[in-house]
């Protein structure tokens, strides 16, 4: 790699983790046997390198290939990339995570167990149906994926990803995705709890996670009005007496602090037989004139036992969800 725009450390990284070799062995070359000018492994190397330097177009990938070694036309790159079946790459990702687990590089930071964050991501949007799994919304096509990230680890790696079928949504696809996670990692100590946005908050999903022996931390919004109101009824009187506060830190030009309030009275509430705690996390901002203002409140329900996490660790778990 002669150009400084593609750092040599990227090449060394790909060589060290042997990602190209593993993908080349797992994925099928979609091109016909005759007339191949470039090896499939080299094309995968080009794709991976371009992704790591965040190249947004096939023209840019073509330019990256020239700086690497051999220029590959963007037409060839597009033809190959569009026809690769990505499903076998999931097993390669899991193999990479298992290698990191054996190397003990995924140990949780400041927590007694690993914490996984599951969230939906829109990975492509366009005015045409660019993939059979795209969903149409407001005249645009969206390709959505469900992603699991180990937010308790320093590197925060993605440990699994699956595309959401067009006939369903995040809530509908979660049980399938969750079963795949449990099947892949149940015999390891990769994670012990999962954090989820309000879109996943339901007694059914909570019972599924709890039944498999894992902890859940679900954000509660107005989509669960009765539960949200009960959390507020129990926790609002505690405001002013936090269980834990984070140190003030500089964020976006302002001093920011997070405050935790907890209750165990929510345990077993109305269909949530497995619930054990409710949390309120406030984000406070100190303005230049010294005035302190609470700018955000987030409500959570969890089945984690009361003594498992300290107040400071609860704040770490909540903040890690957005990591």
């Amino acid at each position: 790699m002669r150009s400084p725009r593609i750092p040599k450390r990227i090449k060394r990284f790909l060589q060290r983790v042997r990602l190209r070799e593993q993908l080349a062995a797992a994925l099928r070359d979609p091109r016909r046997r005759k007339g191949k000018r470039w090896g499939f492994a080299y094309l995968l190397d080009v794709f991976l390198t371009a992704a790591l330097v965040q190249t947004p177009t096939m023209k840019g990938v073509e330019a990256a290939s020239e700086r690497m070694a051999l220029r590959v036309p963007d037409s060839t790159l597009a033809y190959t990339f569009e026809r690769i079946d990505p499903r076998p790459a999931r097993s390669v990702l899991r193999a990479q995570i298992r290698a990191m687990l054996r190397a003990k590089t995924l140990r949780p930071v400041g927590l007694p167990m690993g914490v996984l964050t599951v969230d939906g991501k829109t990975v492509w949007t366009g005015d045409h149906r660019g993939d059979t799994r795209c969903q149409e919304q407001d005249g645009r096509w969206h390709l959505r994926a469900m992603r699991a990230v180990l937010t308790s680890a320093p590197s925060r790696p993605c440990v699994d990803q699956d595309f959401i079928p067009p006939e369903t949504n995040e809530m509908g696809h979660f049980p399938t995705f969750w079963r795949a996670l449990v099947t892949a990692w149940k015999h390891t100590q990769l994670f012990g709890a999962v954090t989820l946005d309000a879109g996943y908050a339901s007694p059914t999903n909570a019972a599924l996670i709890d039944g498999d022996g894992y902890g859940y931390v679900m954000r509660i919004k107005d989509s669960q009005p009765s539960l949200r109101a009960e959390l507020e009824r129990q926790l609002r009187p505690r405001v002013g007496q936090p269980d834990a506060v984070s140190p003030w830190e500089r964020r976006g030009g302002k001093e920011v602090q997070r405050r935790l309030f907890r209750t165990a009275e929510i345990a077993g509430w109305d269909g949530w037989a497995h619930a054990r705690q409710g949390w309120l996390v406030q984000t406070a901002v100190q303005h230049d004139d010294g005035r302190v203002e609470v700018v955000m409140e987030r409500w959570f329900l969890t089945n984690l036992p009361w003594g498992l996490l300290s107040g400071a660790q609860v704040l770490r778990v909540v903040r890690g969800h957005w990591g």
Side-chain angles (χ1 to χ4, degrees):
M1 296 183 183
R2 298 182 293 275
S3 171
R5 294 181 63 189
I6 302 179
K8 291 182 179 180
R9 65 178 179 274
I10 291 178
K11 184 175 183 179
R12 291 195 297 268
F13 168 76
L14 291 174
Q15 289 175 339
R16 185 172 71 251
V17 301
R18 300 187 66 252
L19 183 56
R20 183 192 70 175
E21 290 79 3
Q22 292 183 36
L23 284 173
L27 299 177
R28 184 184 67 83
D29 188 345
R31 298 172 298 167
R32 292 185 293 270
R33 291 185 178 182
K34 294 183 177 180
K36 294 180 181 178
R37 291 187 57 190
W38 300 274
F40 188 51
Y42 177 65
L43 295 182
L44 290 175
D45 197 12
V46 170
F47 289 137
L48 290 169
T49 302
L52 286 173
V53 296
Q54 300 181 5
T55 304
T57 66
M58 283 298 172
K59 273 293 184 185
V61 179
E62 176 183 335
S65 70
E66 187 171 18
R67 296 197 301 273
M68 289 172 60
L70 302 172
R71 186 184 69 84
V72 183
D74 62 336
S75 57
T76 300
L77 293 165
Y79 179 92
T80 305
F81 191 70
E82 290 171 358
R83 287 164 177 78
I84 292 176
D85 181 359
R87 287 174 294 183
R90 204 169 177 184
S91 62
V92 175
L93 172 60
R94 289 169 178 165
Q96 291 276 327
I97 297 300
R98 289 191 183 95
M100 297 173 71
L101 196 58
R102 288 192 298 270
K104 304 185 186 303
T105 62
L106 299 181
R107 289 177 173 174
V109 177
L111 296 171
M113 76 289 191
V115 177
L116 205 64
T117 292
V118 173
D119 199 5
K121 301 291 181 184
T122 298
V123 298
W124 181 85
T125 302
D127 56 6
H128 66 285
R129 192 176 188 181
D131 191 277
T132 57
R133 288 160 293 189
C134 285
Q135 300 176 2
E136 188 178 14
Q137 182 179 349
D138 300 327
R140 301 278 289 176
W141 291 93
H142 305 265
L143 181 60
R144 296 188 174 100
M146 193 167 288
R147 185 177 299 167
V149 174
L150 191 66
T151 47
S152 58
S155 56
R156 293 174 177 149
C158 172
V159 305
D160 203 1
Q161 178 170 291
D162 190 23
F163 289 103
I164 301 172
E167 64 274 10
T168 186
N169 54 23
E170 290 181 43
M171 177 70 84
H173 190 56
F174 177 76
T176 300
F177 187 67
W178 174 255
R179 287 302 181 201
L181 279 173
V182 172
T183 300
W185 305 110
K186 63 183 176 181
H187 297 304
T188 72
Q189 298 297 317
L190 182 69
F191 70 99
V194 58
T195 64
L196 298 153
D197 274 338
Y200 300 93
S202 74
T204 302
N205 285 343
L208 177 65
I209 298 168
D210 184 79
D212 285 328
Y214 292 88
Y216 64 78
V217 176
M218 292 182 171
R219 189 174 180 184
I220 305 300
K221 289 184 177 180
D222 291 338
S223 55
Q224 295 278 346
S226 299
L227 178 55
R228 166 73 171 73
E230 181 62 18
L231 284 170
E232 183 159 8
R233 185 191 70 80
Q234 294 185 20
L235 287 166
R236 185 64 68 191
R238 295 185 52 80
V239 170
Q241 302 174 354
D243 292 79
V245 296
S246 69
W248 288 99
E249 58 180 314
R250 196 75 175 171
R251 290 280 172 180
K254 297 183 183 295
E255 293 293 325
V256 178
Q257 183 187 67
R258 293 165 183 85
R259 304 166 181 175
L260 170 68
F261 307 88
R262 291 192 283 183
T263 179
E265 295 178 23
I266 199 74
W269 183 83
D270 193 22
W272 297 79
H274 28 68
R276 293 189 177 97
Q277 295 184 63
W279 299 341
L280 165 61
V281 176
Q282 291 183 334
T283 300
V285 170
Q286 186 175 48
H287 297 280
D288 293 338
D289 59 4
R291 179 173 52 91
V292 175
E293 177 187 11
V294 174
V295 296
M296 183 182 297
E297 291 186 331
R298 289 171 287 184
W299 309 83
F300 300 89
L301 191 71
T302 178
N303 66 337
L304 295 175
W306 184 273
L308 181 62
L309 300 176
S310 68
Q313 288 173 329
V314 169
L315 290 174
R316 180 183 288 271
V317 168
V318 169
R319 188 172 182 185
H321 179 86
W322 285 270

